[in-house]
Amino acid sequence: MTAAPILSVREAARHYRSGDSIVKALDGVSLDVNAGELVAILGPSGSGKSTLLLIAGLLEPPTEGEVRIRGTLVSKAGEELGRLRDFRRRNIGFVFQKANLIPFLTASENVALAMEIDDVPARDARRHAERLLAGLGLGHRAGNRPTKLSGGEQQRVAIARALANDPTLILADEPTAALDGARGRQVIALFRQIADTRGAGIVVVTHDPRSLDLFDRTIELTDGRVIGERSGPVRIPAR
Ligand SMILES: Nc1ncnc2c1ncn2[C@@H]1O[C@H](COP(=O)(O)OP(=O)(O)O)[C@@H](O)[C@H]1O
Ligand SMILES: [Mg+2]
């Protein structure tokens, strides 16, 4: 028997009303992500990438279609998602373009907070936060506030925070957009490592063609639809 995918989005649509017309932000998209898989979502601005992540991450319900996590139907058209708040926090880690760290907390306090919300005792949370930061090469930065960190370091703290509850699914929306090419590649390499070592399923919206070789699969959206999908790392032709 093969295990159910960590994430399975089936025929998801999301329609927004805009004045008299309807915007089809997403128009029948299906996506499966297995344990240990790192999947890239590509597509022009406005193609529905963020909408797909919101639906996959149980932050918004689809207008049509459904979302399964490890085979269990958790979200479908017309159903409110408020009841899934705890489930989401325990199972899904989010990373956004901006790190959005709390400025008056240190790096390790920012990461620990994600666990304390889930009733992990403060001392255990702090110890685990420091371990996570050390694992991401930020052990020496654990006691620093965000303003003392570079953009790449802040983004790694945000990734540590996303990992705090050991999620099976990680969703990242343009996490490298604010970083230079080398730092951006380090962040994607980190996701690759997390997929390989923890078996998390990871979906990353990215514009950066230079790191596509690190992904298992690439899905391309246009106008809310999948227009291309390739398995295996994308090989960038040598110049
Ligand atoms: N809350 C919303 N209300 C109305 N239209 C929206 C909303 N969110 C997204 N859209 C529209 O849906 C389309 C897809 O948006 P989005 O998923 O943010 O695209 P991307 O992340 O690929 O840039 C765009 O045309 C956008 O304007
Ligand atoms: Mg977007």
Side-chain angles (χ1 to χ4, degrees):
M1 201 181 87
T2 51
I6 284 180
L7 169 70
S8 181
V9 176
R10 279 285 137 257
E11 288 297 325
R14 176 88 196 180
H15 300 170
Y16 293 106
R17 189 171 292 281
S18 165
D20 285 343
S21 59
I22 303 267
V23 178
K24 293 184 175 176
L26 216 55
D27 192 16
V29 169
S30 296
L31 167 69
D32 280 350
V33 181
N34 293 304
E37 247 191 332
L38 179 61
V39 178
I41 308 282
L42 303 180
S45 177
S47 59
K49 306 181 297 296
S50 294
T51 303
L52 176 58
L53 284 205
L54 291 175
I55 289 173
L58 314 177
L59 290 164
E60 291 201 22
T63 316
E64 292 163 22
E66 58 184 45
V67 181
R68 287 171 190 269
I69 303 282
R70 287 206 195 111
T72 302
L73 179 62
V74 286
S75 172
K76 64 180 187 189
E79 283 204 2
E80 285 302 312
L81 296 171
R83 72 199 146 83
L84 295 174
R85 201 168 296 143
D86 290 346
F87 176 88
R88 192 172 60 222
R89 205 175 51 240
R90 295 196 185 111
N91 291 283
I92 307 177
F94 294 92
V95 182
F96 298 100
Q97 181 174 338
K98 287 172 66 182
N100 292 319
L101 302 175
I102 297 174
F104 52 84
L105 298 181
T106 65
S108 68
E109 287 166 348
N110 265 281
V111 177
L113 184 62
M115 289 174 261
E116 287 170 44
I117 291 169
D118 244 353
D119 296 331
V120 174
R123 274 187 53 194
D124 296 347
R126 184 71 73 87
R127 207 173 297 141
H128 186 46
E130 280 165 11
R131 256 200 315 267
L132 280 170
L133 288 170
L136 300 184
L138 285 176
H140 62 302
R141 293 297 200 193
N144 286 133
R145 297 220 168 102
T147 50
K148 299 280 184 212
L149 306 176
S150 71
E153 287 173 336
Q154 289 183 34
Q155 200 55 301
R156 274 185 284 162
V157 176
I159 292 169
R161 181 181 56 191
L163 294 176
N165 296 320
D166 205 15
T168 47
L169 176 64
I170 297 171
L171 303 174
D173 197 350
E174 305 197 31
T176 64
L179 306 177
D180 66 38
R183 296 263 178 234
R185 188 173 173 86
Q186 281 172 9
V187 167
I188 303 298
L190 202 52
F191 284 131
R192 176 73 269 167
Q193 189 191 330
I194 292 162
D196 291 343
T197 59
R198 292 171 175 252
I202 308 182
V203 182
V204 182
V205 172
T206 179
H207 281 299
D208 190 350
R210 287 167 296 190
S211 300
L212 288 179
D213 58 309
L214 297 171
F215 288 86
D216 296 308
R217 200 142 53 85
T218 306
I219 287 162
E220 195 174 351
L221 293 184
T222 291
D223 294 338
R225 297 180 147 272
V226 176
I227 59 150
E229 176 158 9
R230 345 180 183 205
S231 294
V234 175
R235 303 286 170 207
I236 311 288
R239 279 193 286 183

